[in-house]
Amino acid sequence: MNILVINSGSSSLKYQFFKMPVKAPICSGLVERIGIEGSYIKHTVFRGTEKFITEKSAFIADHGEGLNQVLALLSEGDQAVIASPDDIVAVGHRVVHGGENFSGPALITEEVKVQIKKLFSLAPLHNPVNLKCIEVAEQTFPKAKQVAVFDTAFHQTIPQQAFRYAIPDHYYKDHGIRVYGFHGTSHKYVSEEAIKWLNKKDSKIITIHLGNGCSMAAVHDGKSVDTSMGFGPLSGLVMGTRSGDIDPSVIFHLIEHAGYSLSQLSTLFNKQSGLLGVGGSSDMRDISKLAAEGVDGAILALELYAYRIKKFIGSYAAILNGLDAIVFTAGVGENDKFMRASVCNELNYLGIEMDNALNAQYTGGIAEINTSESKVKILVIPTNEEYEIAHQCFSLLA
């Protein structure tokens, strides 16, 4: 089954093309800086062990034009992978927020689009552009089934005592104020891979997604029972530019005593905090380099980052009443051996003991980096959100 996966951001569009159920993509690509000067496309076709890369620099006004460029790359030239748009059976769309309406993938209908639109206020940077890409894809690939896969869906199994806030009941009933959680596609994929690796369905796993955005999930027998992001993607861990958990009293104080507006506070906590605010850069590679040079702010940023993760490991181990494995994934989780070591240091009381040599030697794929005596497995599992979206589409349609 030919499935095109679209993962759209506010000014970008990632895509992969699969012939399901084969896991390896036929091609993949990225359209960057949509609507901004310096628009750029990188398209890669995989044929056996060879890669054929096409790169283009030309202004792309909007996501519609971006998708038309993608269609041309898929269907034209020596490296074409389809003859026409009609060869695409399904288009799978990553949609950030599904609220309480969606606990799995959904075949897109007018009613589904209405529900996505109703959630604009909960994901203002993502749901509008997700819906726009759905509508453009309906025109670009008119015979294909359009399927939405929601970031929040995996976390719909979280019990009420974990997703409710201790505020009056009507704020939940009337305004939907609750924990929704995000990065669900990634947490679902790596937790399922961990269960297969452990060969243990009755499992207790903590998944740790560390990129520019960071989140963790407690996964019991394959189901999410708690997660660090809440009503929006600001809470929980220290991130590239987001503060993570902060006492709401700080917000009240800055409004009352420093004259901050709500817009200024949103910018502060979402775009000027985290690694950037403390260490001077939102990129972990820059922070690590500055810390190695002895820059105090960068050293503190790394300490805060690791400390917050350790706190959540402890709390989730308590919630799960035991632990079989912790899983590192995403850009930092997969590539930063020093951060993995910092997180796992002095967790032996929980049965978490890292093998420093295995951690340092890790170069990719699924691997254990714990000692042979460690009661808890420490796994590194590369996330594959695009394949997970394709897999969910295939399962729904097949």
Side-chain angles (χ1 to χ4, degrees), residues 13 26 40 47 56 73 129 142 145 199 226 229 248 256 266 311 334 352 367 373 375 385 391 396:
L13 192 155
I26 301 299
Y40 176 79
R47 298 191 186 279
K56 297 171 66 176
L73 289 164
V129 74
K145 300 287 187 184
N199 193 25
D226 207 345
M229 284 182 171
E256 294 173 8
S266 177
K311 282 179 68 174
E334 294 168 30
I352 298 171
E373 295 81 17
K375 294 179 181 178
E385 293 174 274
H391 175 67
L396 178 70

Side-chain angles (χ1 to χ4, degrees), residues 11 14 47 74 81 83 120 148 177 206 234 255 292 302 349:
S11 61
K14 289 194 294 183
R47 298 191 186 279
L74 293 172
V81 294
F120 277 9
I177 306 298
I206 296 172
L234 178 60
I255 291 173
L302 294 178
Y349 181 80

Side-chain angles (χ1 to χ4, degrees), residues 14-35:
K14 289 194 294 183
Y15 61 92
Q16 288 193 26
F17 175 55
F18 295 88
K19 288 185 180 292
M20 294 295 290
V22 178
K23 190 170 185 178
I26 301 299
C27 66
S28 67
L30 174 64
V31 187
E32 289 191 290
R33 299 180 64 82
I34 296 172

Side-chain angles (χ1 to χ4, degrees), residues 116-124 127-128 231:
I116 292 171
K117 195 168 186 178
K118 284 182 178 179
L119 295 163
F120 277 9
S121 63
L122 300 187
N127 269 37
F231 179 71

Side-chain angles (χ1 to χ4, degrees), residues 207-315:
T207 50
I208 308 169
H209 178 108
L210 303 177
N212 189 49
C214 304
S215 66
M216 291 172 60
V219 184
H220 193 187
D221 299 346
K223 294 181 179 180
S224 176
V225 295
D226 207 345
T227 190
S228 60
M229 284 182 171
F231 179 71
L234 178 60
S235 63
L237 304 180
V238 175
M239 306 179 217
T241 63
R242 299 178 193 143
S243 64
D245 283 348
I246 192 164
D247 184 347
S249 299
V250 175
I251 297 170
F252 307 147
H253 179 85
L254 290 174
I255 291 173
E256 294 173 8
H257 300 288
Y260 275 67
S261 67
L262 292 176
S263 176
Q264 287 174 314
L265 288 171
S266 177
T267 299
L268 169 63
F269 293 123
N270 280 293
K271 298 180 179 180
Q272 298 174 344
S273 298
L275 293 177
L276 176 64
V278 179
S281 172
S282 62
D283 192 310
M284 180 62 80
R285 292 165 294 190
D286 294 339
I287 294 292
S288 298
K289 183 179 178 182
L290 291 169
E293 294 169 357
V295 177
D296 290 341
I299 293 169
L300 177 59
L302 294 178
E303 291 173 344
L304 283 171
Y305 193 97
Y307 182 80
R308 190 74 59 85
I309 297 167
K310 290 165 84 93
K311 282 179 68 174
F312 273 93
I313 289 175
S315 65

Side-chain angles (χ1 to χ4, degrees), residues 5 12 35 60 71 73 86 99 187 196 249 289 325 333 355 358:
V5 172
S12 65
I60 298 170
L71 174 59
L73 289 164
D86 294 346
H187 289 295
K196 286 189 281 188
S249 299
K289 183 179 178 182
D355 185 312
L358 291 177

Side-chain angles (χ1 to χ4, degrees), residues 208-212 214 275 282-292 298 301-303 305-306 309 327-344 354 356 358-364 369 378-381:
I208 308 169
H209 178 108
L210 303 177
N212 189 49
C214 304
L275 293 177
S282 62
D283 192 310
M284 180 62 80
R285 292 165 294 190
D286 294 339
I287 294 292
S288 298
K289 183 179 178 182
L290 291 169
L302 294 178
E303 291 173 344
Y305 193 97
I309 297 167
V327 179
F328 288 96
T329 194
V332 175
E334 294 168 30
N335 297 299
D336 196 318
K337 60 186 178 182
F338 299 107
M339 183 50 62
R340 292 194 300 261
S342 296
V343 169
C344 293
M354 173 174 280
N356 292 320
L358 291 177
N359 179 49
Q361 293 164 11
Y362 174 78
T363 56
I369 55 172
I378 306 171
L379 303 177
V380 185
I381 301 179

